Amino acid sequence: MGRRAKYLTLDEKAAASRRHRESYSQSQRGKIVRQAQNAHYYTKRHGQCGPHTSKIMSETPLTPSLLQFVALPLPDSYLFRQSLVGSNLIDKSDLLQWDKPPPYNFPNPPDSPEEEHFTHNIVDVMHGHHLRIERDSCAHRMAMYNMGESDRVLEEIQEAQKSLLTGWDELHTCVSHLWACTRHKIMAECYCQWVAQRIVIYQMEKDSLIAGNNPYVH
């Protein structure tokens, strides 16, 4: 016997897809994905309106090179989603070697369709890995904020953002002029994208805290 159809009509399929999106948007995973994606809209608005007048904002300008990487989209593949939730089905043995800035002192892979496919898979896994780290970091800051330690949260954000901004120009130059194989270039761009994402996420949270708002209410 054949398998029974899950949806009999296009309307039923569309309704199920809508329910899935609504459920996903309310989940913690959905919230942190939106936070990363909202960084792009924040930088677009920031670029149009110019720097804010506050002293702290003027000390941390968001450069065009940084905004370019923030604007890059995130994947939505099965491997990305599995990596995001920390699934044991994902082979994490290669993650540590890519979770650092370039250049990478690893042998170049053979030029073959199989290796090209592997590169595509590993970059999706790394995006999920980075987003999961940011989700956990955000949960830590939110817990501190809810305990009344907003000043400490702001201090940690400022220090973390300053560290990333200090090395941004050097990182961007290295990635832009990297003489390496395709895999190394793609993984370097992935790393660079997440440094940019974190800088902007910190900026969003910092602006909210300075304004006296709760940055962890979405």
Side-chain angles (χ1 to χ4, degrees):
M1 294 179 62
R3 181 185 301 178
R4 182 180 178 182
K6 189 173 183 181
Y7 308 111
L8 298 179
T9 68
L10 290 177
D11 288 342
E12 289 177 351
K13 185 175 182 179
S17 177
R18 184 168 57 252
R19 288 193 299 271
H20 172 75
R21 288 196 303 270
E22 292 172 353
S23 174
Y24 177 84
S25 68
Q26 297 302 317
S27 68
Q28 181 65 24
R29 181 175 61 176
K31 290 177 182 178
I32 195 65
V33 169
R34 285 201 311 279
Q35 183 187 38
Q37 292 171 336
N38 284 344
H40 166 60
Y41 298 105
Y42 174 90
T43 55
K44 183 178 180 180
R45 183 172 66 252
H46 178 85
Q48 290 175 341
C49 299
H52 289 228
T53 57
S54 72
K55 179 180 179 182
I56 295 181
M57 279 295 296
S58 65
E59 292 175 350
T60 54
L62 302 179
T63 64
S65 64
L66 191 149
L67 304 187
Q68 178 184 2
F69 275 91
V70 175
L72 296 175
L74 294 176
D76 189 30
S77 66
Y78 172 80
L79 287 175
F80 167 76
R81 294 191 296 269
Q82 289 297 304
S83 179
L84 177 57
V85 299
S87 172
N88 291 328
L89 299 177
I90 297 294
D91 181 2
K92 304 178 180 66
S93 59
D94 288 332
L95 297 188
L96 289 179
Q97 68 182 14
W98 303 115
D99 198 5
K100 57 184 179 182
Y104 305 115
N105 297 320
F106 316 129
N108 294 344
D111 186 10
S112 68
E114 292 77 16
E115 291 296 334
E116 182 180 352
H117 182 66
F118 179 81
T119 299
H120 178 80
N121 287 346
I122 193 64
V123 75
D124 281 8
V125 170
M126 281 304 300
H127 275 299
H129 170 74
H130 281 298
L131 187 53
R132 182 161 55 88
I133 290 175
E134 182 53 38
R135 177 191 61 190
D136 295 342
S137 178
C138 179
H140 167 72
R141 297 192 297 272
M142 180 172 64
M144 290 173 55
Y145 179 89
N146 291 337
M147 290 188 295
E149 300 184 24
S150 58
D151 290 343
R152 184 182 168 195
V153 173
L154 180 58
E155 181 180 354
E156 286 194 3
I157 289 173
Q158 289 173 325
E159 290 179 356
Q161 189 192 47
K162 181 180 179 180
S163 177
L164 294 178
L165 281 168
T166 298
W168 172 256
D169 287 340
E170 181 179 354
L171 173 64
H172 178 255
T173 300
C174 175
V175 172
S176 300
H177 299 89
L178 188 63
W179 185 261
C181 67
T182 300
R183 178 177 298 171
H184 290 190
K185 289 180 179 179
I186 290 175
M187 301 311 294
E189 290 172 357
C190 175
Y191 180 88
C192 198
Q193 180 178 349
W194 275 99
V195 171
Q197 284 276 7
R198 290 187 176 99
I199 288 172
V200 174
I201 288 173
Y202 291 150
Q203 189 69 53
M204 293 166 64
E205 293 185 12
K206 189 170 70 174
D207 287 353
S208 184
L209 287 166
I210 292 172
N213 299 322
N214 183 352
Y216 309 109
V217 175
H218 301 285

